[in-house]
Every structure is written in C-alpha cells, then in structure tokens.
Amino acid sequence: MPPTLAAPDRDHDNGPVDLTALTPPQLQARRTMKWTTYPPDVLALWVAEMDYPTAEPVMAAIRAAVAAETFGYPMNPAASGLPEAYAGWALRRYGMTVDPADVHVVADVMHGVRLALEYFTAPDDPVIITTPVYMPFFDIVDLARRPQVHVPMATGPDGRAALDLDRIDAAFAAGARTLLLCSPYNPLGRAFSPAELAALAEVVDRHGGRVVSDEIHAPLVHDDRPHVPYASVSAAAAAHTLTVVAASKAWNLPGLKCAQVLTSSPADRATWAAIPVWDLVGVSTLGMEASTAAYRDGEPWLTEVLTQLAANRETLRGRVAGWPGVRLGSTEATYLAWLDLTELGLTEEPAALLLREARVALSGGVPFRAPEHRFARLNYATTPTILDAALDRIEGALARLSPP
Ligand SMILES: Cc1ncc(COP(=O)(O)O)c(C=O)c1O
C-alpha cells in the first residue's frame, strides 16, 4: 500500500527554506516515483526528483490556483503570462533575449522533443544521439519514427566528457540530419562552454543540419559557470535549433506537466504555429501557474538549493575519493553524479549490487547505453542526513566486496 497523502509541516513559509529536514517517511508520503518504487528501507538516490520542500512562491501560486479552482482547460498559453515569465528568466539568468512569441507551452520536455522531431525533421532523417545519455532519448526518437545514429561521447584532453565533433561531423556526412543535444548533460554532468557549443554549431551548420537542444537542467549549472543556451552561440545556431526547457527539474515539478519549446527563427515560429492543437494537449493548469511563479519569483529558493547542492557535492567528492576503484564524473551541472566503477571489475550491474548489498537505489548505467557492469548514476539532491546515510551504506558494501 502506498503511504497516504499527508501535507508536511511547512514552517518555512515566511523564512528561509530548511533543505535538510525531510525524512524518508515524509518523502514517501509525497507518493511520487522516487520514494515509492522501492521498499521503504531503501534510500532512493535514483530518478531526478529533489528531496526539498517546494519553493514558497510556487506553493503560493498552486494554492491560489486551487483556491480559484483553476481546474478547467488551460488558458491560451500565449495569454497566460508564462512566455513573458520565461523570457524574463532567460534574460536575467542567461543574458539571452527571448521573444515571448517564441515560447511555446507543451506538457513535458520529452513531448516537446518529440514534436520538434516530428514537425521539424523529415521522416527518414536520421537523428544523432550521443551516448551515454538520458535514456528516454532513445525511445522518443523511436516514437517520432526517426532512425537513430549513436555517437559515443569522447574524453577530452582534460579528462572531462566532451562532444566528439569528428564523429558527429562524420555522422552528418553519412546522412544524419539532426542532433539531439543534452545541454547541460545528463548523466555526465557537463555544462558545455561557449567554445564547445560554437564548434558544434559550426559542424551542424556546415551540413545544413538541425539541433534539438534539451536544456531542462539549465538552471542547475554550478560553480559560477553560466548556462549557455545553444541557440545563443551564433545566428546559424539560432536558425537551426529548437530548444526545450522547463521549470520542472530545477523547481521539482515534473508531475505538474508543463514545459516550453523555444523557437529561434521566424520560419520555425511559423512551423510551430501550424502544429495541430491535438498534438499540444497535456499541459496542466497547475503546471502553467507553478512554472510562471518559478521563473518569476523562484530564484531565491533556487539559490538556496544550489548552495545545498554544492555542499552535497563536496561531501560526495570527499567520500568517492576514498573509494578505491570508483571515479566520479564531472559535476558542473545537474544534481546527478556519474559513477565509474570499471576498475572494480564487477560481473553485475553496480546499481543492482548496491540495491541488494547497500539498500540504496541508484540508476543503472545500461539504460543510458553505457557499457554493462561499469556505471551508475547517483542523485545527490537530497538532505545531508540521507546522503550521508546512503554513502555510509555504499561504502560498507564496497568494503565488503574487496576487504583490505
Ligand atoms: C535531460 C532530461 N530531459 C528531460 C527530462 C524529463 O523531462 P520531462 O519530465 O519534462 O519530460 C529529464 C528528467 O530527468 C532529463 O534529465
């Protein structure tokens, strides 16, 4: 039986948010995927939900919408205030001018990606997917009935994951027409630099190709790096890109169903306008209200979350450094850490082993199309107490694997 729905005590309504307080039973009481998929003794560090109280401006918008019984069909997105709210956010946060008329509202990011592929590429156009990557990319390209070409991510001279421009170039030369970009990159934790993105844009432009850029993790870029919207790196990039964003990852609202597709050329804006309305349904009224509030008034909460995530990263780095045979990938963006356990020479999936031996749920590497038995993804957007407990458990399980 899933736990009953219970409102947690919210003692932060008028003060700073306590990001350290929620407990596993309180998180289970949310009745969402992260804490209800595994038995209650398992610490859930897998799917990309955060274990923090929701931003108060977002809660206020949702409460107001509930009080006003905003339960009918969503209003015309163009009139909802959401496009302006996103444009304001993009200007303040990324220094990018976005015309609200280029902000289109869809139910979620993966549906936005699917529409971008279906309406902006031709049926036989192969789509390049870099690997390992957020696993629904493979399914969504299939659902859009486009062939897919996989290009493994490279390791740059500095040891960080990098786009393999030579192989992307070769894939376009061999007939690919579109690249599905994940920027910032889940699961490899990269926030691409302007130079990296400009170099990619040059390759794509040379082949007359297209990019669909999933930038859902854009607000979650760390250590004073900027997020660089791919469409902002050149006029050519703007002309060949559809960008898909949402407030749902950074403000933890994926169940409210609201994302945004950004066009960045007059031709693409016109193509979008011709999409039949039945392909655009699925957005929720509460999602629109919550996303508008997040973009408008959610920055102070996000700043606190980013500070907590920085502390958690420090903890994680320190602990993983003490685990022989385990390496941590880049942590420039997202709250998802990629663990490379290759040197342990395991004969099963690390996530399966740690679920059994440590009672910690991570995401396995194989669905991301990483080689088997070597990788797992750890979600560190949790409380310090839960993170410490999970890392203790993992450390214990690893120590039992290879006693000193
Ligand atoms: C890169 C990426 N894209 C999309 C999503 C999911 O977005 P949505 O639920 O809006 O489809 C996620 C969720 O973790 C993600 O990491």
Side-chain angles (χ1 to χ4, degrees):
M1 267 285 278
T4 48
L5 200 53
D9 290 339
R10 296 182 63 84
D11 57 6
H12 62 273
D13 287 6
N14 297 311
V17 194
D18 186 352
L19 301 173
T20 66
L22 288 176
T23 60
Q26 286 173 314
L27 292 161
Q28 285 153 10
R30 285 180 167 177
R31 289 158 54 97
T32 60
M33 188 186 280
K34 189 182 189 187
W35 286 90
T36 56
T37 298
Y38 294 98
D41 67 309
V42 171
L43 294 176
L45 270 57
W46 65 295
V47 70
E49 294 178 28
M50 294 197 280
D51 297 340
Y52 303 132
T54 306
E56 188 46 35
V58 172
M59 288 299 289
I62 294 169
R63 279 195 211 98
V66 169
E69 301 182 14
T70 307
F71 306 142
Y73 295 111
M75 74 193 296
N76 175 4
S80 69
L82 178 51
E84 285 75 14
Y86 182 78
W89 168 261
L91 187 62
R92 288 195 310 280
R93 190 79 174 185
Y94 315 132
M96 185 181 186
T97 301
V98 173
D99 186 331
D102 277 318
V103 180
H104 314 283
V105 180
V106 294
D108 53 43
V109 165
M110 293 321 294
H111 188 61
V113 168
R114 181 173 176 179
L115 293 178
L117 295 173
E118 288 183 349
Y119 286 95
F120 294 81
T121 74
D124 294 332
D125 286 355
V127 177
I128 300 169
I129 306 178
T130 57
T131 61
V133 80
Y134 179 58
M135 51 282 212
F137 276 21
F138 306 103
D139 292 336
I140 220 74
V141 174
D142 277 348
L143 285 170
R145 296 178 307 282
R146 270 42 179 177
Q148 47 189 278
V149 183
H150 296 175
V151 173
M153 291 289 282
T155 304
D158 54 10
R160 293 184 302 170
L163 295 162
D164 191 332
L165 291 185
D166 290 339
R167 290 181 74 168
I168 290 171
D169 194 359
F172 274 115
R177 306 292 305 139
T178 308
L179 172 77
L180 179 48
L181 178 66
C182 189
S183 176
Y185 202 100
N186 171 13
L188 300 180
R190 284 295 324 280
F192 298 116
S193 69
E196 287 176 290
L197 294 174
L200 173 65
E202 197 274 317
V203 170
V204 178
D205 186 46
R206 186 148 30 83
H207 293 284
R210 275 216 164 261
V211 168
V212 176
S213 189
D214 174 345
E215 303 188 7
I216 191 172
H217 292 279
L220 297 163
V221 175
H222 310 309
D223 303 327
D224 295 327
R225 279 183 200 86
H227 166 68
V228 183
Y230 174 75
S232 74
V233 299
S234 66
H240 67 220
T241 302
L242 276 298
T243 307
V244 193
V245 298
S248 61
K249 205 53 50 188
W251 285 273
N252 204 38
L253 311 167
L256 292 185
K257 305 321 283 177
C258 183
Q260 301 81 47
V261 175
L262 313 176
T263 45
S264 40
S265 77
D268 285 353
R269 192 193 291 184
T271 304
W272 187 274
I275 295 179
V277 68
W278 296 115
D279 255 350
L280 299 172
V281 293
V283 186
S284 90
T285 52
L286 295 186
M288 285 170 64
E289 299 292 340
S291 303
T292 304
Y295 288 134
R296 256 189 211 147
D297 304 316
E299 200 158 4
W301 179 92
L302 182 65
T303 303
E304 290 186 50
V305 165
L306 292 174
T307 303
Q308 183 61 55
L309 292 178
N312 288 5
R313 267 196 311 285
E314 273 313 298
T315 302
L316 184 64
R317 270 199 212 105
R319 296 293 289 270
V320 175
W323 298 348
V326 184
R327 289 167 197 272
L328 185 62
S330 291
T331 52
E332 298 167 357
T334 81
Y335 47 74
L336 306 163
W338 191 237
L339 298 176
D340 179 349
L341 301 95
T342 304
E343 289 171 23
L344 296 182
L346 299 177
T347 53
E348 67 175 312
E349 279 307 301
L353 181 141
L354 292 171
L355 180 60
R356 191 181 64 241
E357 299 296 327
R359 306 302 284 161
V360 174
L362 306 182
S363 300
V366 169
F368 297 87
R369 307 284 168 111
E372 60 179 11
H373 303 167
R374 290 171 49 183
F375 296 93
R377 191 191 73 176
L378 182 151
N379 174 348
Y380 64 86
T382 189
T383 68
T385 309
I386 293 173
L387 185 63
D388 283 337
L391 296 176
D392 285 347
R393 290 186 188 189
I394 294 174
E395 193 162 298
L398 294 175
R400 289 194 296 279
L401 264 185
S402 44

